[in-house]
Structures are given as structure tokens and as C-alpha cells.
Amino acid sequence: MRWLALLFIPAIAHAGVELGAQAGVDSSDGASAAGSAAVELIGAPRPCDPACVIWGDAPDLLRAEASATLARSSYGDARVTGRWFGWQLVLGETVQPLGSLRDEFWRSGRGLDDATIGVAMPAFVSAAGIRVIEAAETIDLDSNGDADFALGATTFAGRHWALFRVAATSRTRGDDREADQLVFDLLALDVTRDGNRVQLEAGIDSTCAFEEPIDHEIDTPRYWLDVSRGFGELSAKLGAGSWARLDPTGDAVDTGQLATGELAWRHGRYAARAAFDAGRLVRRFGAPVPPRAMGRAELEGDVQLAHSLAMVGTAWAERSDRDDPRWAVPANGSVMDHAGVGVAARWQLKNVTALPAH
């Protein structure tokens, strides 16, 4: 790791190590134990010479992280991220990837080995607080022959706003059937002041299922409003907007509305967090099904036992047709109820003093 640090980060301003362990049970008659580790090195800010205008001025970064879980169906994740002069490369390997309610494609991760290659480039031109053309590209290759390709680009962007932001995703199964999703944001606004934040997106979402020709694509409005605010020891975050996905079979398109919320509290050594995702989906194309209401609720408590050691307890409940490799009973396409509890220990060691890497 030392030669990588010297290559990416000649002067280290921040170094951190994170270790974690957790155990949990859920209502699908499953139990799991997990461990994780991460190392992060961030370079010292450098004076913005003329190269910053073209290459970007983000601090250099090198981060390596790995996690593994033992359950009825074991899974794991390893990832290395490097950033140099604003250019970023991500290499990852995930065994049986996990999903969430906010995924746009609800593929089951059971039996999949997912390799990820991601490249992000800084703005081609950056002057007077305006960035022109910045892009990101991700390629996922799965062991069953599936492949995902994602490309995102922003045409004009300032410190708090962006115009003409496009994100395109194409997914191909091993039998060469292809599904496409195109997100076209006409406007994106992100304003932060005094720790409070307002985020707004508006545009068009276009989705085409695996088995259907392109003339049956589903076009729906894309909109999202997210507001977060702090109240002393309390902080709250609320979001609401459109929801679109390819269903678990990949042969149908659902759209609807999604609302999210989070309330967090911190006082001295103690912290707590409550969060929810709740949405309603309507089948727009594919085998007809009744409208579906799905959601997830989580409750988390955190106590700092020492300067760098914390214990975390969690409880959650979910109602969805999602299939999670951690669940002993595979999803059959119908809406099912799941719940679980867990306990974890987290240890962090951080050094924020500038340390030359000789």
C-alpha cells in the first residue's frame, strides 16, 4: 500500500482506519455475522495552479475497504478508490450484491459475482465558479453473463446548480436481451446554508424492459425534492418525488411515488436515528399486477464507549417484493414482510495532522 500512497498522495493530510463487526437475525429464519475494514488516505490541499482549471482541484484520495458476511448465503465486498488531480478510478468486487428500495433495477443478487470498474473525470473547463462537462462511467460484469453499463454527464454546473444532467444505464442479460434507462434532468438545484440543505431535481425518466421493443418504452416525469435541517441536537431530512424501476423479473416497468424521511439526535456520547422509505408502485407495462405499497423502517441507537469505539444497535422492518441474499427464503415475486435486529461494534482511528509520506 505504501507505493500506492506515494503515487497518489505525496503529502498526507488525513489518514483513517475503520474496523467493524456485527451480528443479527431476521424473520426469514436467518442469522448473520459480518466484519469490515477500511483504510483511507487523503492528500493535503495544493495551491490551485493553472492545471486546476482543466484537471480539477479535488484532494488526492486513496481508499481501500473490504467486508464479509457469514449467513445462510454468504456475501462480501472489496473496493479500492483512487483519485488523482480530480480523476477517479474505482475497482470493486462484490459477491452476491445487496439491494435497496431505491434501486432502479430489482435484480436478485443470489449467486452473482459482480465486478465493477468506474471512472470519473473532472470538468473539462472550470472558471468563474462554473464547470462545463463532467462525466462518470461504470461497468459491472456479472458471473452469469449479465453486464451493466452506466454513463452520467453534466453539461453546465455551478456551485449550487446544474443544467442538462443526463444519466444513462444499459443492462444486458446473458441471452443478449437488453433493458435501458435514461434519466434526463433539465434542472438540478442543491443549496446548502448554515448546515441546512435544499435539493431539487426535475426532468424525464425513460425506461424500457428486457422483452419489449423500443417503441414500448415508458416515459414518465422525473422530480425529487429533498430538504434537510438541523435543530440543535436534532436533525431532520425529508424527501419526496417520483419512483421508477424494472421489476424483479426485468420484464415489466413500474412507476409511482416515493417518500423518505430521517430524524437523527446526538447528545454527548449518545446518538439515535429513525428512518423510513415508503412508496406506491403502479404497473405501467408487463404482466398486470395490482398497485403495490412498499416500505422500510429502521431504528438505530449508538453509544460511544471510548474515543474511537462505539456500539450500535439496529431494528428494521420491510415490506417489499425485493430479494435479499441475506434472507433465507427467496422472494417469489409477491410482496412479503421481513423484520430483524442487529448489534455492531465500530472502531475508528483518524489522524488529521499533515504527515509527509517519505
Side-chain angles (χ1 to χ4, degrees):
M1 176 75 85
R2 180 173 176 78
W3 69 270
L4 282 173
L6 291 173
L7 174 65
F8 279 102
I9 307 176
I12 298 174
H14 164 95
V17 178
E18 302 175 14
L19 300 176
Q22 67 180 58
V25 295
D26 63 69
S27 58
S28 66
D29 194 26
S32 62
S36 62
V39 178
E40 182 178 71
L41 305 175
I42 300 178
R46 44 175 186 263
C48 190
D49 54 27
C52 292
V53 176
I54 299 176
W55 304 113
D57 56 357
D60 296 338
L61 165 72
L62 181 63
R63 180 178 176 86
E65 51 190 306
S67 64
T69 298
L70 298 177
R72 289 176 178 265
S73 182
S74 298
Y75 57 94
D77 184 74
R79 195 165 300 269
V80 176
T81 303
R83 185 174 62 222
W84 192 47
F85 278 96
W87 290 75
Q88 184 162 297
L89 174 66
V90 179
L91 303 176
E93 185 76 17
T94 304
V95 178
Q96 302 198 123
L98 308 177
S100 74
L101 284 180
R102 304 188 193 189
D103 288 350
E104 296 174 342
F105 179 40
W106 284 31
R107 172 175 52 199
S108 172
R110 295 178 191 264
L112 292 185
D113 183 2
D114 189 0
T116 301
I117 304 172
V119 179
M121 66 183 69
F124 291 160
V125 178
S126 179
I130 298 178
R131 303 186 304 275
V132 182
I133 303 293
E134 46 183 14
E137 176 180 318
T138 301
I139 301 174
D140 295 330
L141 303 175
D142 302 319
S143 60
N144 63 352
D146 292 1
D148 297 351
F149 175 79
L151 176 65
T154 301
T155 305
F156 292 96
R159 185 174 181 181
H160 300 301
W161 56 270
L163 292 174
F164 306 114
R165 185 170 59 186
V166 179
T169 303
S170 180
R171 299 176 173 92
T172 304
R173 279 186 174 172
D175 53 10
D176 292 331
R177 293 192 299 158
E178 185 173 312
D180 298 300
Q181 189 157 46
L182 176 66
V183 172
F184 182 49
D185 281 339
L186 302 176
L187 171 68
L189 179 67
D190 190 342
V191 179
T192 302
R193 182 177 180 181
D194 299 330
N196 302 319
R197 181 179 182 185
V198 176
Q199 182 178 4
L200 173 67
E201 297 179 7
I204 300 295
D205 197 333
S206 181
T207 307
C208 179
F210 276 125
E211 289 189 337
E212 304 307 325
I214 194 66
D215 58 338
H216 285 115
E217 68 182 54
I218 303 300
D219 298 321
T220 57
R222 178 178 179 82
Y223 52 93
W224 187 264
L225 176 63
D226 204 309
V227 179
S228 60
R229 187 170 182 181
F231 308 88
E233 296 178 337
L234 286 173
S235 63
K237 181 177 180 180
L238 293 175
S242 62
W243 195 14
R245 69 161 194 177
L246 288 165
D247 89 313
T249 68
D251 300 326
V253 178
D254 298 329
T255 63
Q257 294 76 42
L258 178 68
T260 65
E262 179 177 319
L263 181 64
W265 168 81
R266 179 172 291 278
H267 178 75
R269 299 187 300 119
Y270 303 97
R273 185 183 70 91
F276 76 89
D277 296 340
R280 180 177 182 270
L281 286 167
V282 177
R283 179 61 45 89
R284 292 291 303 277
F285 194 82
V289 296
R292 299 185 168 197
M294 292 185 279
R296 180 181 175 93
E298 298 181 5
L299 183 62
E300 179 180 292
D302 188 324
V303 56
Q304 198 78 23
L305 299 179
H307 177 68
S308 56
L309 178 64
M311 294 294 295
V312 183
T314 59
W316 57 270
E318 179 176 328
R319 178 177 175 81
S320 74
D321 59 2
R322 187 173 66 88
D323 187 24
D324 193 314
R326 293 170 293 187
W327 298 340
V329 180
N332 58 11
S334 61
V335 175
M336 302 175 65
D337 297 319
H338 296 273
V341 295
V343 61
R346 183 177 63 240
W347 179 79
Q348 293 179 317
L349 176 63
K350 294 184 177 181
N351 178 9
V352 294
T353 305
L355 295 174
H358 296 306

PDB file of all heavy atoms in Angstrom, residues 286-315:
ATOM      1  N   GLY A 286     -46.086  -4.708 -18.828  1.00  0.00           N
ATOM      2  CA  GLY A 286     -45.735  -6.061 -18.442  1.00  0.00           C
ATOM      3  C   GLY A 286     -46.934  -6.794 -17.881  1.00  0.00           C
ATOM      4  O   GLY A 286     -48.070  -6.334 -17.985  1.00  0.00           O
ATOM      5  N   ALA A 287     -46.694  -7.963 -17.280  1.00  0.00           N
ATOM      6  CA  ALA A 287     -47.772  -8.757 -16.694  1.00  0.00           C
ATOM      7  C   ALA A 287     -48.505  -7.940 -15.644  1.00  0.00           C
ATOM      8  O   ALA A 287     -47.880  -7.415 -14.716  1.00  0.00           O
ATOM      9  CB  ALA A 287     -47.209 -10.024 -16.068  1.00  0.00           C
ATOM     10  N   PRO A 288     -49.835  -7.790 -15.751  1.00  0.00           N
ATOM     11  CA  PRO A 288     -50.563  -6.907 -14.818  1.00  0.00           C
ATOM     12  C   PRO A 288     -50.534  -7.437 -13.391  1.00  0.00           C
ATOM     13  O   PRO A 288     -50.669  -8.632 -13.140  1.00  0.00           O
ATOM     14  CB  PRO A 288     -51.981  -6.899 -15.390  1.00  0.00           C
ATOM     15  CG  PRO A 288     -52.083  -8.161 -16.193  1.00  0.00           C
ATOM     16  CD  PRO A 288     -50.729  -8.418 -16.747  1.00  0.00           C
ATOM     17  N   VAL A 289     -50.355  -6.514 -12.450  1.00  0.00           N
ATOM     18  CA  VAL A 289     -50.439  -6.801 -11.014  1.00  0.00           C
ATOM     19  C   VAL A 289     -51.140  -5.612 -10.364  1.00  0.00           C
ATOM     20  O   VAL A 289     -51.122  -4.499 -10.900  1.00  0.00           O
ATOM     21  CB  VAL A 289     -49.046  -7.014 -10.375  1.00  0.00           C
ATOM     22  CG1 VAL A 289     -48.351  -8.226 -10.951  1.00  0.00           C
ATOM     23  CG2 VAL A 289     -48.196  -5.772 -10.530  1.00  0.00           C
ATOM     24  N   PRO A 290     -51.766  -5.821  -9.209  1.00  0.00           N
ATOM     25  CA  PRO A 290     -52.398  -4.688  -8.510  1.00  0.00           C
ATOM     26  C   PRO A 290     -51.345  -3.670  -8.074  1.00  0.00           C
ATOM     27  O   PRO A 290     -50.162  -4.008  -7.937  1.00  0.00           O
ATOM     28  CB  PRO A 290     -53.067  -5.345  -7.298  1.00  0.00           C
ATOM     29  CG  PRO A 290     -53.135  -6.806  -7.613  1.00  0.00           C
ATOM     30  CD  PRO A 290     -51.976  -7.096  -8.494  1.00  0.00           C
ATOM     31  N   PRO A 291     -51.724  -2.411  -7.856  1.00  0.00           N
ATOM     32  CA  PRO A 291     -50.794  -1.411  -7.307  1.00  0.00           C
ATOM     33  C   PRO A 291     -50.176  -1.922  -6.006  1.00  0.00           C
ATOM     34  O   PRO A 291     -50.836  -2.587  -5.208  1.00  0.00           O
ATOM     35  CB  PRO A 291     -51.690  -0.193  -7.068  1.00  0.00           C
ATOM     36  CG  PRO A 291     -52.808  -0.353  -8.042  1.00  0.00           C
ATOM     37  CD  PRO A 291     -53.046  -1.834  -8.147  1.00  0.00           C
ATOM     38  N   ARG A 292     -48.916  -1.604  -5.795  1.00  0.00           N
ATOM     39  CA  ARG A 292     -48.180  -2.143  -4.660  1.00  0.00           C
ATOM     40  C   ARG A 292     -47.689  -1.022  -3.756  1.00  0.00           C
ATOM     41  O   ARG A 292     -47.083  -0.050  -4.219  1.00  0.00           O
ATOM     42  CB  ARG A 292     -46.987  -2.960  -5.148  1.00  0.00           C
ATOM     43  CG  ARG A 292     -47.410  -4.146  -5.996  1.00  0.00           C
ATOM     44  CD  ARG A 292     -46.250  -5.016  -6.380  1.00  0.00           C
ATOM     45  NE  ARG A 292     -46.723  -6.277  -6.938  1.00  0.00           N
ATOM     46  CZ  ARG A 292     -45.975  -7.360  -7.070  1.00  0.00           C
ATOM     47  NH1 ARG A 292     -44.720  -7.334  -6.705  1.00  0.00           N
ATOM     48  NH2 ARG A 292     -46.489  -8.459  -7.571  1.00  0.00           N
ATOM     49  N   ALA A 293     -47.952  -1.168  -2.466  1.00  0.00           N
ATOM     50  CA  ALA A 293     -47.415  -0.265  -1.457  1.00  0.00           C
ATOM     51  C   ALA A 293     -46.274  -0.984  -0.749  1.00  0.00           C
ATOM     52  O   ALA A 293     -46.449  -2.110  -0.266  1.00  0.00           O
ATOM     53  CB  ALA A 293     -48.493   0.141  -0.463  1.00  0.00           C
ATOM     54  N   MET A 294     -45.102  -0.366  -0.716  1.00  0.00           N
ATOM     55  CA  MET A 294     -43.934  -0.992  -0.109  1.00  0.00           C
ATOM     56  C   MET A 294     -43.192   0.024   0.728  1.00  0.00           C
ATOM     57  O   MET A 294     -43.300   1.236   0.505  1.00  0.00           O
ATOM     58  CB  MET A 294     -43.023  -1.572  -1.197  1.00  0.00           C
ATOM     59  CG  MET A 294     -43.635  -2.759  -1.912  1.00  0.00           C
ATOM     60  SD  MET A 294     -42.519  -3.546  -3.089  1.00  0.00           S
ATOM     61  CE  MET A 294     -42.697  -2.450  -4.488  1.00  0.00           C
ATOM     62  N   GLY A 295     -42.434  -0.454   1.705  1.00  0.00           N
ATOM     63  CA  GLY A 295     -41.704   0.472   2.540  1.00  0.00           C
ATOM     64  C   GLY A 295     -40.728  -0.230   3.465  1.00  0.00           C
ATOM     65  O   GLY A 295     -40.705  -1.462   3.571  1.00  0.00           O
ATOM     66  N   ARG A 296     -39.916   0.585   4.125  1.00  0.00           N
ATOM     67  CA  ARG A 296     -38.937   0.066   5.080  1.00  0.00           C
ATOM     68  C   ARG A 296     -38.772   1.095   6.190  1.00  0.00           C
ATOM     69  O   ARG A 296     -38.738   2.310   5.931  1.00  0.00           O
ATOM     70  CB  ARG A 296     -37.587  -0.191   4.397  1.00  0.00           C
ATOM     71  CG  ARG A 296     -36.512  -0.736   5.345  1.00  0.00           C
ATOM     72  CD  ARG A 296     -35.198  -0.941   4.629  1.00  0.00           C
ATOM     73  NE  ARG A 296     -34.129  -1.347   5.521  1.00  0.00           N
ATOM     74  CZ  ARG A 296     -33.791  -2.605   5.774  1.00  0.00           C
ATOM     75  NH1 ARG A 296     -34.443  -3.585   5.188  1.00  0.00           N
ATOM     76  NH2 ARG A 296     -32.797  -2.894   6.595  1.00  0.00           N
ATOM     77  N   ALA A 297     -38.665   0.624   7.435  1.00  0.00           N
ATOM     78  CA  ALA A 297     -38.441   1.482   8.592  1.00  0.00           C
ATOM     79  C   ALA A 297     -37.244   0.950   9.377  1.00  0.00           C
ATOM     80  O   ALA A 297     -37.081  -0.269   9.524  1.00  0.00           O
ATOM     81  CB  ALA A 297     -39.680   1.532   9.482  1.00  0.00           C
ATOM     82  N   GLU A 298     -36.410   1.847   9.852  1.00  0.00           N
ATOM     83  CA  GLU A 298     -35.221   1.472  10.606  1.00  0.00           C
ATOM     84  C   GLU A 298     -35.105   2.332  11.852  1.00  0.00           C
ATOM     85  O   GLU A 298     -35.453   3.519  11.843  1.00  0.00           O
ATOM     86  CB  GLU A 298     -33.957   1.668   9.763  1.00  0.00           C
ATOM     87  CG  GLU A 298     -33.886   0.820   8.511  1.00  0.00           C
ATOM     88  CD  GLU A 298     -32.596   1.055   7.738  1.00  0.00           C
ATOM     89  OE1 GLU A 298     -31.733   1.816   8.243  1.00  0.00           O
ATOM     90  OE2 GLU A 298     -32.451   0.508   6.641  1.00  0.00           O
ATOM     91  N   LEU A 299     -34.587   1.730  12.916  1.00  0.00           N
ATOM     92  CA  LEU A 299     -34.316   2.442  14.167  1.00  0.00           C
ATOM     93  C   LEU A 299     -32.920   2.041  14.636  1.00  0.00           C
ATOM     94  O   LEU A 299     -32.602   0.849  14.697  1.00  0.00           O
ATOM     95  CB  LEU A 299     -35.363   2.086  15.228  1.00  0.00           C
ATOM     96  CG  LEU A 299     -35.254   2.819  16.564  1.00  0.00           C
ATOM     97  CD1 LEU A 299     -35.430   4.317  16.364  1.00  0.00           C
ATOM     98  CD2 LEU A 299     -36.273   2.278  17.554  1.00  0.00           C
ATOM     99  N   GLU A 300     -32.108   3.027  14.964  1.00  0.00           N
ATOM    100  CA  GLU A 300     -30.713   2.768  15.319  1.00  0.00           C
ATOM    101  C   GLU A 300     -30.321   3.575  16.544  1.00  0.00           C
ATOM    102  O   GLU A 300     -30.655   4.757  16.664  1.00  0.00           O
ATOM    103  CB  GLU A 300     -29.802   3.134  14.142  1.00  0.00           C
ATOM    104  CG  GLU A 300     -28.328   2.944  14.386  1.00  0.00           C
ATOM    105  CD  GLU A 300     -27.492   3.331  13.181  1.00  0.00           C
ATOM    106  OE1 GLU A 300     -27.570   2.630  12.156  1.00  0.00           O
ATOM    107  OE2 GLU A 300     -26.781   4.360  13.267  1.00  0.00           O
ATOM    108  N   GLY A 301     -29.609   2.923  17.473  1.00  0.00           N
ATOM    109  CA  GLY A 301     -29.076   3.590  18.655  1.00  0.00           C
ATOM    110  C   GLY A 301     -27.573   3.409  18.716  1.00  0.00           C
ATOM    111  O   GLY A 301     -27.058   2.325  18.402  1.00  0.00           O
ATOM    112  N   ASP A 302     -26.850   4.456  19.120  1.00  0.00           N
ATOM    113  CA  ASP A 302     -25.389   4.458  19.066  1.00  0.00           C
ATOM    114  C   ASP A 302     -24.863   5.031  20.381  1.00  0.00           C
ATOM    115  O   ASP A 302     -25.295   6.102  20.811  1.00  0.00           O
ATOM    116  CB  ASP A 302     -24.947   5.326  17.874  1.00  0.00           C
ATOM    117  CG  ASP A 302     -23.445   5.246  17.616  1.00  0.00           C
ATOM    118  OD1 ASP A 302     -22.682   5.160  18.584  1.00  0.00           O
ATOM    119  OD2 ASP A 302     -23.043   5.302  16.440  1.00  0.00           O
ATOM    120  N   VAL A 303     -23.941   4.332  21.016  1.00  0.00           N
ATOM    121  CA  VAL A 303     -23.307   4.839  22.227  1.00  0.00           C
ATOM    122  C   VAL A 303     -21.792   4.763  22.049  1.00  0.00           C
ATOM    123  O   VAL A 303     -21.263   3.734  21.618  1.00  0.00           O
ATOM    124  CB  VAL A 303     -23.758   4.052  23.480  1.00  0.00           C
ATOM    125  CG1 VAL A 303     -23.480   2.561  23.325  1.00  0.00           C
ATOM    126  CG2 VAL A 303     -23.069   4.602  24.725  1.00  0.00           C
ATOM    127  N   GLN A 304     -21.109   5.866  22.338  1.00  0.00           N
ATOM    128  CA  GLN A 304     -19.658   5.945  22.221  1.00  0.00           C
ATOM    129  C   GLN A 304     -19.046   5.460  23.526  1.00  0.00           C
ATOM    130  O   GLN A 304     -19.116   6.133  24.562  1.00  0.00           O
ATOM    131  CB  GLN A 304     -19.238   7.382  21.927  1.00  0.00           C
ATOM    132  CG  GLN A 304     -17.839   7.540  21.373  1.00  0.00           C
ATOM    133  CD  GLN A 304     -17.765   7.194  19.897  1.00  0.00           C
ATOM    134  OE1 GLN A 304     -18.775   7.252  19.199  1.00  0.00           O
ATOM    135  NE2 GLN A 304     -16.588   6.835  19.424  1.00  0.00           N
ATOM    136  N   LEU A 305     -18.428   4.281  23.506  1.00  0.00           N
ATOM    137  CA  LEU A 305     -17.851   3.706  24.715  1.00  0.00           C
ATOM    138  C   LEU A 305     -16.504   4.311  25.044  1.00  0.00           C
ATOM    139  O   LEU A 305     -16.124   4.409  26.208  1.00  0.00           O
ATOM    140  CB  LEU A 305     -17.713   2.196  24.552  1.00  0.00           C
ATOM    141  CG  LEU A 305     -19.019   1.427  24.319  1.00  0.00           C
ATOM    142  CD1 LEU A 305     -18.723  -0.049  24.147  1.00  0.00           C
ATOM    143  CD2 LEU A 305     -19.992   1.657  25.464  1.00  0.00           C
ATOM    144  N   ALA A 306     -15.755   4.688  24.004  1.00  0.00           N
ATOM    145  CA  ALA A 306     -14.446   5.306  24.183  1.00  0.00           C
ATOM    146  C   ALA A 306     -14.256   6.288  23.032  1.00  0.00           C
ATOM    147  O   ALA A 306     -15.137   6.458  22.191  1.00  0.00           O
ATOM    148  CB  ALA A 306     -13.344   4.239  24.191  1.00  0.00           C
ATOM    149  N   HIS A 307     -13.087   6.926  22.993  1.00  0.00           N
ATOM    150  CA  HIS A 307     -12.865   7.944  21.975  1.00  0.00           C
ATOM    151  C   HIS A 307     -13.039   7.396  20.564  1.00  0.00           C
ATOM    152  O   HIS A 307     -13.533   8.089  19.676  1.00  0.00           O
ATOM    153  CB  HIS A 307     -11.449   8.517  22.133  1.00  0.00           C
ATOM    154  CG  HIS A 307     -11.106   9.518  21.087  1.00  0.00           C
ATOM    155  ND1 HIS A 307     -11.716  10.755  21.004  1.00  0.00           N
ATOM    156  CD2 HIS A 307     -10.224   9.457  20.048  1.00  0.00           C
ATOM    157  CE1 HIS A 307     -11.217  11.428  19.974  1.00  0.00           C
ATOM    158  NE2 HIS A 307     -10.307  10.668  19.386  1.00  0.00           N
ATOM    159  N   SER A 308     -12.670   6.150  20.342  1.00  0.00           N
ATOM    160  CA  SER A 308     -12.717   5.604  18.988  1.00  0.00           C
ATOM    161  C   SER A 308     -13.576   4.347  18.880  1.00  0.00           C
ATOM    162  O   SER A 308     -13.605   3.717  17.826  1.00  0.00           O
ATOM    163  CB  SER A 308     -11.300   5.276  18.502  1.00  0.00           C
ATOM    164  OG  SER A 308     -10.659   4.388  19.404  1.00  0.00           O
ATOM    165  N   LEU A 309     -14.267   3.952  19.952  1.00  0.00           N
ATOM    166  CA  LEU A 309     -15.051   2.720  19.942  1.00  0.00           C
ATOM    167  C   LEU A 309     -16.520   3.024  20.228  1.00  0.00           C
ATOM    168  O   LEU A 309     -16.844   3.756  21.165  1.00  0.00           O
ATOM    169  CB  LEU A 309     -14.521   1.747  20.997  1.00  0.00           C
ATOM    170  CG  LEU A 309     -15.268   0.414  21.135  1.00  0.00           C
ATOM    171  CD1 LEU A 309     -15.149  -0.399  19.852  1.00  0.00           C
ATOM    172  CD2 LEU A 309     -14.748  -0.373  22.321  1.00  0.00           C
ATOM    173  N   ALA A 310     -17.410   2.452  19.406  1.00  0.00           N
ATOM    174  CA  ALA A 310     -18.846   2.677  19.573  1.00  0.00           C
ATOM    175  C   ALA A 310     -19.580   1.357  19.414  1.00  0.00           C
ATOM    176  O   ALA A 310     -19.142   0.448  18.701  1.00  0.00           O
ATOM    177  CB  ALA A 310     -19.358   3.684  18.541  1.00  0.00           C
ATOM    178  N   MET A 311     -20.725   1.243  20.111  1.00  0.00           N
ATOM    179  CA  MET A 311     -21.636   0.114  19.946  1.00  0.00           C
ATOM    180  C   MET A 311     -22.925   0.632  19.307  1.00  0.00           C
ATOM    181  O   MET A 311     -23.427   1.697  19.665  1.00  0.00           O
ATOM    182  CB  MET A 311     -21.943  -0.527  21.296  1.00  0.00           C
ATOM    183  CG  MET A 311     -20.760  -1.193  21.957  1.00  0.00           C
ATOM    184  SD  MET A 311     -20.168  -2.642  21.036  1.00  0.00           S
ATOM    185  CE  MET A 311     -21.575  -3.742  21.200  1.00  0.00           C
ATOM    186  N   VAL A 312     -23.443  -0.161  18.371  1.00  0.00           N
ATOM    187  CA  VAL A 312     -24.621   0.260  17.606  1.00  0.00           C
ATOM    188  C   VAL A 312     -25.658  -0.863  17.636  1.00  0.00           C
ATOM    189  O   VAL A 312     -25.339  -2.035  17.365  1.00  0.00           O
ATOM    190  CB  VAL A 312     -24.253   0.586  16.151  1.00  0.00           C
ATOM    191  CG1 VAL A 312     -25.478   1.086  15.392  1.00  0.00           C
ATOM    192  CG2 VAL A 312     -23.134   1.617  16.093  1.00  0.00           C
ATOM    193  N   GLY A 313     -26.889  -0.530  17.958  1.00  0.00           N
ATOM    194  CA  GLY A 313     -27.991  -1.482  17.895  1.00  0.00           C
ATOM    195  C   GLY A 313     -28.994  -1.034  16.837  1.00  0.00           C
ATOM    196  O   GLY A 313     -29.280   0.163  16.710  1.00  0.00           O
ATOM    197  N   THR A 314     -29.539  -1.973  16.074  1.00  0.00           N
ATOM    198  CA  THR A 314     -30.474  -1.632  14.996  1.00  0.00           C
ATOM    199  C   THR A 314     -31.686  -2.553  15.027  1.00  0.00           C
ATOM    200  O   THR A 314     -31.609  -3.697  15.485  1.00  0.00           O
ATOM    201  CB  THR A 314     -29.807  -1.746  13.611  1.00  0.00           C
ATOM    202  OG1 THR A 314     -29.331  -3.094  13.427  1.00  0.00           O
ATOM    203  CG2 THR A 314     -28.643  -0.795  13.480  1.00  0.00           C
ATOM    204  N   ALA A 315     -32.800  -2.042  14.537  1.00  0.00           N
ATOM    205  CA  ALA A 315     -34.009  -2.832  14.323  1.00  0.00           C
ATOM    206  C   ALA A 315     -34.662  -2.313  13.047  1.00  0.00           C
ATOM    207  O   ALA A 315     -34.638  -1.111  12.778  1.00  0.00           O
ATOM    208  CB  ALA A 315     -34.972  -2.704  15.501  1.00  0.00           C
TER     209      ALA A 315
END
